[in-house]
Amino acid sequence: MLYDLDQGPRSALAEVHRQRRDLLRRACSHHTRRQRLLRPEDLRHVLVDDAHGLLYCYVPKVACTNWKRVLLALSGRGPGDPRAIPAHEAHAPGRLPSLADFSPAEVNRRLRAYLAFLFVREPFERLASAYRNKLQRPWGATFQRRFGTGIVRRLRPRPGPDALVRGHDVRFAEFLAYLLDPRTRRDGPFNEHWERAHALCHPCRLRYDVVGKFETLAEDAAFVLSLVGAPGLRFPEPPSWAQAAARDRAARLFHDISPFYQQRLYGLYRMDFLLFNYSAPSYVRLR
């Protein structure tokens, strides 16, 4: 199945996505130098639907659970209503094949012919969401033990014994200091929930037909499903108030972070801001 989004009549939304593709190409040309060849492990976030000719690069904390549900419903691996698929099933390893599972020739064939899309989000809001979901909320106990205990041990001057065992009370400032600590990067890549979107999906190396945004999730999801020929499939949308609430939470979290650390953090996530045309949020002080 060959998709050519530059042919045929243009809707207003199709024009928006053409402009996003053009902007991404220009930003890649301007801001990236010669890059290394992609390895198979670089492709593990790109999920494959051969029946519909789809490639979807998932970025955690950008509606990826619901997109995995939709792909399972489309491929017949789950109920026809995506909302009926439990989150743990959507994330179960092996439910959806990844580009990393194929030979180089098969990877290139799919990249040439399939519709490739990803969804991105304002980087600081995504970071705040990851912190809240994985390190602050009670259901994040696994992440708290895996990452929180190490953050507390490394960065808290006098950690209590409970925090050293559970890692349940990591402060946002401690989490940001962990991200900015050079030792963290030396230990290996960031966890996918706070890794930069461009490092997960390699948009300057892979061609993406649609760059969807969390801020326009409903319209962009409907656009992708119309291209696939499944306009009747309903994308599970969050409540109308959820996005404003997430922005407010991010603003509150960043309020107590010093401009010095805000500037360093912007430098860390700078490529996501540039490639996907995001401005620094109003609550961030970069000067």
Side-chain angles (χ1 to χ4, degrees):
M1 186 179 297
L2 186 64
Y3 292 90
D4 188 347
L5 276 69
D6 291 321
Q7 299 297 319
R10 285 253 170 85
S11 69
L13 199 50
E15 179 63 18
V16 165
H17 286 283
R18 185 193 66 78
Q19 291 175 7
R20 286 183 190 172
R21 289 196 304 276
D22 289 349
L23 186 145
L24 176 58
R25 280 194 289 265
R26 289 197 302 271
C28 286
S29 175
H30 186 69
H31 295 292
T32 61
R33 299 188 179 94
R34 186 175 180 180
Q35 302 178 76
R36 62 171 175 78
L37 293 175
L38 292 178
R39 301 175 298 236
E41 58 265 32
D42 295 320
L43 303 175
R44 64 185 178 87
H45 270 249
V46 183
L47 303 180
V48 179
D49 177 356
D50 281 324
H52 297 87
L54 282 177
L55 299 175
Y56 162 57
C57 186
Y58 71 92
V59 178
K61 308 310 301 173
V62 193
C64 75
T65 301
N66 284 336
W67 268 115
K68 289 179 179 181
R69 286 173 166 141
V70 166
L71 291 182
L72 287 170
L74 270 175
S75 63
R77 293 182 172 92
D81 182 354
R83 293 168 296 181
I85 301 173
H88 71 272
E89 288 189 17
H91 291 296
R95 289 300 305 274
L96 292 161
S98 154
L99 261 189
D101 300 329
F102 297 93
S103 70
E106 287 297 304
V107 167
N108 289 331
R109 180 177 68 81
R110 287 168 173 80
L111 287 173
R112 284 194 301 270
Y114 285 12
L115 178 79
F117 70 100
L118 79 163
F119 272 69
V120 295
R121 184 177 186 177
E122 191 274 295
F124 283 4
E125 185 182 315
R126 176 177 168 245
L127 199 58
S129 177
Y131 164 75
R132 180 174 182 269
N133 189 254
K134 297 302 180 185
L135 293 172
Q136 190 180 43
R137 307 297 287 177
W139 56 75
T142 300
F143 265 73
Q144 290 161 8
R145 286 192 299 271
R146 182 179 173 191
F147 294 99
T149 54
I151 292 172
V152 166
R153 186 177 297 108
R154 182 191 295 179
L155 296 169
R156 191 173 297 177
R158 290 178 295 278
D162 199 30
L164 286 170
V165 172
R166 297 171 59 199
H168 63 297
D169 62 349
V170 171
R171 295 185 286 272
F172 190 57
E174 292 174 324
F175 173 56
L176 299 187
Y178 162 77
L179 296 178
L180 292 168
D181 188 337
R183 291 172 291 181
T184 303
R185 295 300 289 171
R186 286 200 296 268
D187 291 343
F190 281 163
N191 179 269
E192 62 180 10
H193 290 84
W194 42 84
E195 179 61 280
R196 287 75 53 91
H198 77 273
L200 295 173
C201 294
H202 309 284
C204 296
R205 304 300 306 276
L206 304 178
R207 170 196 52 79
Y208 286 99
D209 302 293
V210 176
V211 178
K213 294 199 169 186
F214 189 77
E215 296 76 15
T216 50
L217 177 60
E219 305 96 300
D220 293 345
F223 180 67
V224 171
L225 292 174
S226 71
L227 292 173
V228 176
L233 185 62
R234 184 175 176 185
F235 186 86
E237 297 173 29
S240 57
W241 49 263
Q243 290 196 18
R247 282 193 296 273
D248 289 345
R249 283 194 296 268
R252 287 197 301 271
L253 285 170
F254 275 95
H255 180 266
D256 295 327
I257 304 302
S258 72
F260 173 73
Y261 276 99
Q262 289 181 359
Q263 290 164 13
R264 289 188 61 201
L265 197 70
Y266 180 84
L268 184 62
Y269 287 85
R270 177 174 174 268
M271 286 304 295
D272 277 1
F273 280 100
L274 294 173
L275 294 179
F276 304 118
N277 197 28
Y278 283 109
S279 300
S282 59
Y283 52 77
V284 172
R285 295 153 289 171
L286 295 181
R287 290 181 180 83

